[in-house]
Amino acid sequence: MKTDYTPYMKLAIRLGKKAEGMTSPNPLVGAVIIDQQGKIIGKGFHKMAGQPHAEVMALRDAGKVPAGSTMIVTLEPCNHFGRTPPCTLALKQSGIKRVVIANKDPNPGVKGGGAAYLRKAGIEVIDSVCRQEAARLNEAYFKQVKTSLPFISVKLAMSLDGRIAAHDGSSKWITSEYSRRIAHKLRNTVDAVVVGAGTIKKDNPELTVRHVRVRNRPLYRVIFDTHLSTPLHAKVVTNQSTLYKTIILTASNNSQRARTFEHRGAEVIRIRTSGGMLSLQDALNFLGKRFMHILVEGGAGLVGSFVKARQVDKFHIFIAPKIIGADGIYPFQGVFLKSMNNVLELKDVQLSTHGGDCLFQGYPRW
């Protein structure tokens, strides 16, 4: 009787998701081992970059693997030496008979090599089980290795009439405390939070992770600051630590002010301008070398720039049951679509409610 591997792969996906925010620049991977009767005898997931991969963790959990066992894993096993030995070698030595994978690894240095090695070693390989669901798990990794650009999420909190702040600039608090906890959980899954200098000057945010378990790797705060006008007393400058680091992208040639920021622990990176603003493409080229997944949190001008450039991969939009008024601040500054023929539509939308607010999550149909 042919085995249905779907339930096991769904479990492997859930295992991989446990390490969300911890594995960059590596992918999220979960693995399950079953014996010939379909009984689960081992489980594992990749917990952090530099630590053993999911396949090795599952093998350790299983102990001595019975003959004829099958491993179900969300991503093609690696076949190269990095910070850890190749998983394909461990699988060959373990006696695993069959490997079921969801996705092949699109990394040009890895692509297809793991599956080919296993087949050459006499191990049966079945692929594309729960392919789309597992691809969502690693959407940031897949984009970064294919394009060298980061996966770009945008998070907004707005009123029912589409405003992110009142006319006087006040925005605390549009959404409920429960929604803010969800937003912090989202922040905890990315490599860097991106804001404009105007947001720093207006709100002086900490841009840290609260209300949830904090990961053991740094969260970077990236500030788009054309003129290097970020206040020296801003919290993102003064609260740096091993967990929270700040990068300022600027076009300013004020080397003395740049050194002052650097003496306080911030990185200052010079980016060329385009149309009087920082070149978004140059900024993303830099960020793609450092980060796999970034979260753009504002303000309206910066978010508008990303939308106009079609440089958004996913939206997370919290909508509170409040009306701020026509004089409030619109979230997509500078975006003029003029006709229904030009509207930006989201696809694969997920809708949930949190403390009376609605959360729309979806992917722009560019």
Side-chain angles (χ1 to χ4, degrees):
M1 184 177 69
K2 187 176 180 180
T3 303
D4 180 9
Y5 296 110
T6 300
Y8 303 111
M9 188 62 79
K10 287 182 180 293
L11 172 59
I13 290 170
R14 292 196 298 272
L15 288 169
K17 195 173 178 62
K18 285 185 175 183
E20 201 168 26
M22 297 292 292
T23 64
S24 178
N26 293 349
L28 294 164
V29 184
V32 175
I33 302 174
I34 60 174
D35 63 16
Q36 286 184 298
Q37 287 72 45
K39 179 184 176 183
I40 295 174
I41 59 174
K43 296 183 291 185
F45 64 96
H46 182 43
K47 294 183 177 181
M48 185 181 293
Q51 292 192 8
H53 291 184
E55 298 93 328
V56 172
M57 297 297 288
L59 288 170
R60 289 180 182 176
D61 187 47
K64 183 172 175 57
V65 177
S69 295
T70 298
M71 174 175 285
I72 297 92
V73 61
T74 56
L75 191 67
E76 176 183 13
C78 66
N79 189 39
H80 63 283
F81 282 90
R83 282 187 278 185
T84 59
C87 293
T88 50
L89 181 60
L91 289 168
K92 179 182 176 181
Q93 294 171 343
S94 72
I96 288 284
K97 170 188 175 183
R98 180 183 300 106
V99 175
V100 180
I101 64 177
N103 296 120
K104 291 185 178 179
D105 193 332
N107 190 327
V110 178
K111 190 175 182 180
Y117 177 93
L118 293 173
R119 289 190 174 106
K120 189 174 181 180
I123 298 172
E124 181 185 2
V125 178
I126 300 172
D127 59 30
S128 299
V129 175
C130 299
R131 179 175 57 85
Q132 291 184 327
E133 189 174 347
R136 289 286 191 227
L137 179 70
N138 277 310
E139 56 193 4
Y141 171 75
F142 285 0
K143 182 190 177 185
Q144 203 272 341
V145 298
K146 289 177 181 178
T147 68
S148 297
L149 296 174
F151 187 88
I152 303 165
S153 292
V154 167
K155 190 271 289 183
L156 294 168
M158 65 175 67
S159 62
L160 200 59
D161 56 343
R163 298 295 185 265
I164 59 172
H167 179 68
D168 63 0
S170 59
S171 59
K172 293 186 178 181
W173 293 106
I174 291 177
T175 54
S176 68
E177 181 180 351
Y178 195 91
S179 290
R180 296 196 295 275
R181 288 177 181 270
I182 299 298
H184 276 269
K185 185 177 180 180
L186 175 62
R187 189 181 283 176
N188 204 30
T189 66
V190 303
D191 302 318
V193 176
V194 178
V195 298
T199 296
I200 299 298
K201 287 183 276 190
K202 180 172 72 71
D203 297 333
N204 194 20
E206 294 182 64
L207 299 180
T208 56
V209 175
R210 302 181 294 280
H211 312 303
V212 295
R213 178 182 60 84
V214 179
R215 80 268 188 93
N216 293 318
R217 50 187 291 271
L219 176 67
Y220 283 80
R221 289 80 56 89
V222 178
I223 307 169
F224 276 61
D225 185 359
T226 305
H227 305 294
L228 203 55
S229 60
T230 295
L232 290 168
H233 61 268
K235 291 176 181 177
V236 292
V237 177
T238 62
N239 72 353
Q240 294 185 85
S241 66
T242 55
L243 278 181
Y244 297 107
K245 300 179 183 294
T246 296
I247 297 174
I248 303 174
L249 305 183
T250 186
S252 171
N253 291 318
N254 189 335
S255 56
Q256 182 175 350
R257 185 168 175 81
R259 282 195 298 270
T260 302
F261 280 110
E262 290 166 347
H263 289 156
R264 299 187 183 194
E267 287 185 68
V268 178
I269 306 296
R270 287 184 174 83
I271 302 289
R272 71 182 181 90
T273 58
S274 176
M277 302 174 62
L278 293 181
S279 166
L280 186 56
Q281 192 59 56
D282 284 8
L284 292 178
N285 288 341
F286 164 76
L287 294 174
K289 292 181 175 66
R290 297 284 294 270
F291 308 119
M292 191 167 77
H293 191 177
I294 65 174
L295 178 65
V296 180
E297 293 201 11
L302 186 63
V303 171
S305 296
F306 275 82
V307 172
K308 284 190 293 183
R310 298 189 172 192
Q311 293 286 3
V312 179
D313 296 299
K314 189 172 184 178
F315 284 100
H316 305 265
I317 302 176
F318 293 87
I319 300 179
K322 300 173 182 177
I323 294 175
I324 291 179
D327 60 345
I329 298 175
Y330 177 66
F332 304 105
Q333 183 179 313
V335 176
F336 301 99
L337 300 177
K338 298 182 181 179
S339 166
M340 284 299 294
N341 294 327
N342 302 325
V343 297
L344 174 57
E345 182 182 0
L346 301 189
K347 60 183 179 180
D348 301 332
V349 174
Q350 291 183 320
L351 173 63
S352 56
T353 58
H354 305 280
D357 304 327
C358 291
L359 170 59
F360 286 86
Q361 294 175 294
Y363 303 85
R365 197 188 300 277
W366 295 117

